């Protein structure tokens, strides 16, 4: 119920009208029962009006209703009636009224504030859970890809070795270098100290490691990024997305041994929005490809990472493939 009143409390002018109406209703009801009540109940119908108005319409409306109700009770029901006369009896009654409504309004306001804070903390917790779930899924996917790559690398080197011991040593040494490169990529992705680097330099180093790890010596990676910086969380998420898209391009965009170019661009599209594009000049999108219906784990991970950046991911073909991420330039304010 508290959450349901949030939209009503946001309408300030409506709260003022409700406060005025509640005061009028409380005054009318108090006048109607005045003949049957014993002396000494000037605020009987006004307390519920103040409490309900504060609960449903917020702090300002509650204070407005309390003020109007107090003046009405003072004028009509505190002796001497039909006037704002201050006596010892009326002053005591007014002080009692002010204390009671102040406590009621304060408690209701604290309750609303605590409820809003709790909802915010739940939303933050849910967001963190989703982020951790996606990153864990991405990590599993990345480890699986790396294990497949290591297996393929060792199989390839095995074919080249034959019975030559020197060739075997060279093959093992090359495999070691590739594995060290993969390890370096992971350290870059999860190293908090990398936050101090400009985004362009960071992505350039990351792409260089990816090219080394996959042995794509005929592929060139160009990074065109303005001198911007992101907080660690957003930089990590953006990096994971770039790694996913670039890795996919290296695996599928270019025929084996063919040369090509992968271009990464980051630009500002609005005061609060940016666009990241990863374009290659490879084969292009396969016929019938639909990201909405694709069951690819890598694609689902990329979509999840885009959602963490408050962004949308789109794919376009033609002469190569262009993956575009439109996302918020900064994290939403807490």
């Amino acid at each position: 119920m508290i959450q349901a009143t949030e939209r009503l409390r946001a309408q300030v002018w409506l709260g003022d009208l409700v406060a005025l109406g509640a005061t009028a209703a409380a005054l009318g009801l108090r006048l109607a029962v005045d003949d049957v009540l014993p002396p000494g109940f000037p605020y009987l119908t006004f307390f519920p009006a103040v409490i309900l108005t504060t609960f449903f319409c917020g702090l300002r409306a509650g204070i407005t209703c309390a003020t109007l109700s107090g003046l009405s009770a003072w004028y009509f029901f505190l002796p001497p009636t039909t006037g704002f006369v201050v006596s010892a009896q009326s002053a005591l009654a007014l002080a009692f009224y002010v204390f009671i409504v102040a406590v009621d309004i304060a408690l209701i306001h604290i309750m609303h504030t605590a409820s809003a804070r709790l909802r915010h903390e739940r939303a933050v917790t849910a967001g963190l859970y989703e982020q951790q779930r996606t990153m864990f899924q991405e990590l599993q996917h990345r480890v699986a890809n790396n294990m497949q790559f290591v297996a393929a690398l060792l199989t390839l080197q095995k074919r080249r070795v034959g019975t030559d011991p020197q060739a075997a040593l060279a093959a093992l040494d090359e495999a070691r270098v590739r594995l060290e490169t993969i390890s370096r990529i992971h350290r870059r992705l999860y190293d908090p100290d990398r936050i101090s680097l400009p985004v362009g330099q960071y992505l350039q180093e990351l792409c260089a490691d990816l090219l080394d790890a996959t042995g794509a010596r005929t592929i060139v990676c160009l990074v065109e990024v303005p001198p911007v910086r992101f907080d660690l969380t957003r930089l990590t998420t953006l990096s994971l997305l770039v790694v996913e898209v670039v890795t996919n391009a290296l695996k599928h965009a270019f025929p084996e041994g063919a040369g090509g170019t992968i271009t990464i661009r980051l630009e500002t599209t609005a005061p609060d929005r940016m666009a990241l594009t990863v374009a290659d000049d490879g084969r292009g999108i396969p016929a019938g490809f639909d990201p909405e219906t694709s069951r690819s784990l890598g694609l689902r991970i990329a979509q999840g990472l885009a959602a963490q950046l408050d962004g949308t991911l789109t794919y376009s073909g033609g002469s190569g493939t262009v993956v575009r991420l439109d996302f918020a330039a900064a994290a939403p304010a807490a």
Side-chain angles (χ1 to χ4, degrees):
M1 182 178 294
I2 294 177
Q3 188 173 357
T5 65
E6 185 174 355
R7 186 173 300 177
L8 181 60
R9 286 183 280 116
Q11 304 293 330
V12 177
W13 61 270
L14 183 58
D16 292 338
L17 291 178
V18 171
L20 184 60
T23 302
L27 177 60
L29 181 60
R30 181 62 182 83
L31 289 171
V33 300
D34 187 54
D35 294 336
V36 300
L37 286 179
F41 295 90
Y43 310 118
L44 182 64
T45 59
F46 294 105
F47 282 138
V50 173
I51 293 172
L52 292 175
T53 302
T54 305
F55 181 82
F56 286 104
C57 299
L59 181 63
R60 170 173 164 166
I63 293 175
T64 301
C65 182
T67 302
L68 295 176
S69 296
L71 292 174
S72 300
W74 185 9
Y75 185 85
F76 289 103
F77 306 110
L78 291 180
T81 57
T82 64
F84 297 107
V85 178
V86 179
S87 63
Q89 183 179 3
S90 63
L92 181 61
L94 287 172
F96 171 77
Y97 171 79
V98 170
F99 174 76
I100 295 299
V101 296
V103 171
D104 290 341
I105 291 174
L107 288 177
I108 294 173
H109 178 66
I110 292 172
M111 179 181 62
H112 279 304
T113 302
S115 176
R117 185 181 298 113
L118 179 60
R119 292 196 302 273
H120 173 71
E121 291 176 354
R122 285 179 177 174
V124 171
T125 301
L128 290 174
Y129 169 77
E130 180 61 25
Q131 182 184 51
Q132 293 299 321
R133 188 188 68 82
T134 303
M135 292 183 69
F136 178 71
Q137 192 177 34
E138 193 277 340
L139 181 61
Q140 287 183 310
H141 179 59
R142 183 67 44 210
V143 170
N145 278 351
N146 289 340
M147 293 302 100
Q148 290 177 354
F149 171 74
V150 171
L153 175 63
L154 293 176
T155 300
L156 178 63
Q157 301 292 42
K158 178 182 176 181
R159 294 173 184 171
R160 295 172 53 187
V161 167
T163 57
D164 186 356
Q166 293 299 322
L169 292 175
L172 290 174
D173 190 59
E174 183 177 350
R176 176 187 59 80
V177 172
R178 295 286 181 84
L179 291 175
E180 288 177 350
T181 303
I182 293 173
S183 174
R184 191 163 64 248
I185 292 173
H186 280 276
R187 285 199 300 271
R188 288 191 193 280
L189 288 176
Y190 301 103
D191 183 4
D193 294 335
R194 310 305 293 177
I195 189 65
S196 60
L197 285 179
V199 175
Q201 179 183 345
Y202 177 78
L203 293 181
Q204 187 70 66
E205 294 179 0
L206 192 62
C207 290
D209 285 344
L210 284 173
L211 295 177
D212 288 343
T214 56
R217 296 181 176 86
T218 58
I219 307 300
V220 177
C221 189
L222 303 178
V223 177
E224 301 174 4
V225 176
V228 297
R229 297 178 187 272
F230 294 115
D231 60 80
L232 179 59
T233 299
R234 293 173 68 74
L235 179 60
T236 301
T237 304
L238 191 68
S239 302
L240 291 171
L241 182 60
V242 169
V243 168
E244 192 63 46
V245 176
V246 172
T247 301
N248 188 67
L250 293 173
K251 288 170 60 178
H252 303 294
F254 306 102
E256 185 175 354
T261 302
I262 299 174
T263 303
I264 301 174
R265 290 190 180 91
L266 183 66
E267 56 187 346
T268 300
T269 57
D272 59 342
R273 303 292 294 181
M274 301 189 78
L276 173 77
T277 57
V278 181
D280 65 67
D281 56 359
R283 294 189 178 99
I285 296 177
F289 173 76
D290 183 2
E292 297 296 329
T293 59
S294 175
R295 301 182 62 183
S296 167
L297 176 59
L299 180 59
R300 294 202 305 271
I301 289 173
Q303 296 286 5
L305 294 170
Q308 291 177 21
L309 294 168
D310 188 23
T312 56
L313 207 59
T314 57
Y315 297 79
S316 58
S319 180
T321 302
V322 177
V323 181
R324 178 183 174 94
L325 170 70
D326 291 285
F327 65 103

